[in-house]
Amino acid sequence: MTVDGFPGSRCPGPLWLQAPVQRPHPPIWIGGNGPAALRRVVQHGDGWMPIIARADMAAAMRTKAIENPDQFGDGVSALRRRLAAAGRDPDAVDVQVVCPHLDFADAGTVRTALDCLDDLEKRGAAWAVVHVDGSSPEAAVNFVRMFGQVVIAQR
């Protein structure tokens, strides 16, 4: 079977392309810190996922470095200015960050993570991705429960 519009494509069995429920389309989240990524966010994005990482890590990913909360805040401010200049509502585009590592048995890492998330929220983050323990289904469920008790309940 081939997929219309994709010459040379092959699917080993039936293909079900259900129309999205969201209108006009599902939210479009765009990641990256460089000019091309930010241009795409301004033109098409519903959300921005900046990469907060050391300069060497950002270079390996071929993106501009955002190494600390100050640079993150500057990036959010610059994005909001560009959205306004393009005639878009700057508050209509959400910003997502990655939750710092959590060791629920160590109150210090939990407090550091919460402080970091609070700081990033003040600078424009609205969402946080959490890396769940995926070593087993039970571990994932336990992590989510602990996250709810330790992090969400404190916010």
Side-chain angles (χ1 to χ4, degrees):
M1 164 166 145
T2 60
V3 179
D4 292 339
F6 296 96
S9 62
R10 293 190 175 273
C11 298
L15 181 64
W16 180 34
L17 297 175
Q18 182 177 3
V21 174
Q22 300 96 332
R23 296 289 177 224
H25 51 71
I28 298 172
W29 284 80
I30 299 168
N33 306 341
L38 293 174
R39 182 180 67 251
R40 290 179 191 113
V41 173
V42 170
Q43 291 173 345
H44 309 289
D46 298 304
W48 178 43
M49 300 175 296
I51 300 165
I52 302 173
R54 295 183 328 260
D56 59 336
M57 178 75 95
M61 292 184 275
R62 295 189 195 162
T63 195
K64 179 182 171 189
I66 295 179
E67 297 186 89
N68 58 55
D70 288 335
Q71 291 176 350
F72 168 77
D74 292 344
V76 172
S77 295
L79 173 63
R80 302 236 185 271
R81 285 192 302 274
R82 288 182 65 177
L83 288 163
R88 294 194 59 197
D89 177 1
D91 294 326
V93 174
D94 284 331
V95 179
Q96 172 184 287
V97 295
V98 175
C99 180
H101 171 73
L102 288 165
D103 176 358
F104 296 118
D106 180 355
T109 66
V110 172
R111 182 76 260 147
T112 298
L114 290 172
D115 290 347
C116 179
L117 289 173
D118 287 344
D119 188 20
L120 295 174
E121 181 181 25
K122 289 174 188 167
R123 297 168 191 265
W127 298 88
V129 172
V130 179
H131 293 282
V132 174
D133 180 352
S135 60
S136 71
E138 295 80 17
V141 168
N142 289 337
F143 187 96
V144 170
R145 281 191 184 124
M146 287 296 296
F147 189 84
Q149 293 169 5
V150 174
V151 177
I152 294 173
Q154 292 187 30
R155 296 188 63 71

